[in-house]
Amino acid sequence: ALVSWVASRRFVDLERKQGGGFWASLGWSLLSVLLALLALIVTLPLWLVPPVALVLPPLIWGWLTYRVLTFDVLAVHASREERLTITRENRLTLLTMGVLTGLMGAAPSLVWASGALFAAAFVVLVPLAVWLYMVVFAFSSLWFAHFGLSALAALRRAQGVVVLEAASDEVVEVDKALGPPA
């Protein structure tokens, strides 16, 4: 829903090439989750080393976030070849975004780690933690949507395809009233 919202607001004329459907997205997500779980299990002994325990889980969750959100953002608008090109050319940036959102996703876990305080403030902390998870998820989705669709628009412009980006709602309305660009 957030990708469609970003596309309708900022990338009005971005053609939808349907490079991945629901089943492809589900398969990709399941494969990615299984690989992330395998990585978590294999690296579990390393979590006993204090600095590694702070770095490894966000890296794994960041990798998972990068794989799932990149695929889902580009599934409707990009062809398979475009999706693979964008992923290959922007792998480090996308992974960095995934790790940063993975670190932000770990923030609500601090609520659960509050120990005895958690039992006393259960009624307040549970809604707070759920709200934090939702905010991080929405932010992550929007960040990947803006980045992925911008990269797709740039790729198409480099290939000679005209892609208009709307700066605001007023521009979108004016563009619709004028009709398609000549």
Side-chain angles (χ1 to χ4, degrees):
L2 290 174
V3 173
S4 295
W5 183 72
V6 169
S8 71
R9 298 286 185 182
R10 187 169 167 211
F11 302 96
V12 179
D13 293 329
L14 195 62
E15 180 185 353
R16 295 173 182 240
K17 293 192 176 181
Q18 305 295 334
F22 173 78
W23 295 110
S25 178
L26 182 64
W28 183 260
S29 296
L30 288 175
L31 175 66
S32 298
V33 167
L34 289 175
L35 290 173
L37 287 174
L38 180 65
L40 286 170
I41 291 168
V42 168
T43 61
L44 206 52
L46 296 174
W47 292 23
L48 297 174
V49 180
V52 177
L54 295 173
V55 173
L56 221 65
L59 282 176
I60 294 170
W61 289 119
W63 175 84
L64 178 63
T65 302
Y66 135 72
R67 283 184 51 98
V68 171
L69 287 181
T70 301
F71 187 94
D72 286 346
V73 163
L74 297 173
V76 172
H77 291 84
S79 67
R80 182 179 185 279
E81 293 76 22
E82 289 172 329
R83 181 174 41 81
L84 294 174
T85 299
I86 290 169
T87 303
R88 184 179 60 252
E89 290 178 356
N90 298 291
R91 186 175 314 277
L92 185 59
T93 303
L94 291 166
L95 183 59
T96 302
M97 289 169 54
V99 169
L100 288 174
T101 56
L103 286 168
M104 289 188 310
S109 299
L110 297 175
V111 172
W112 309 123
S114 59
L117 178 64
F118 176 71
F122 181 79
V123 176
V124 175
L125 292 178
V126 168
L128 177 65
V130 170
W131 179 78
L132 281 172
Y133 280 124
M134 288 175 33
V135 167
V136 169
F137 178 73
F139 172 77
S140 303
S141 299
L142 289 170
W143 191 10
F144 274 87
H146 280 283
F147 184 86
L149 294 177
S150 292
L152 179 60
L155 178 66
R156 289 187 182 164
R157 274 194 300 274
Q159 295 172 344
V161 177
V162 177
V163 178
L164 297 177
E165 289 187 36
S168 69
D169 291 339
E170 292 79 25
V171 174
V172 172
E173 295 304 320
V174 171
D175 287 345
K176 287 179 182 174
L178 294 175

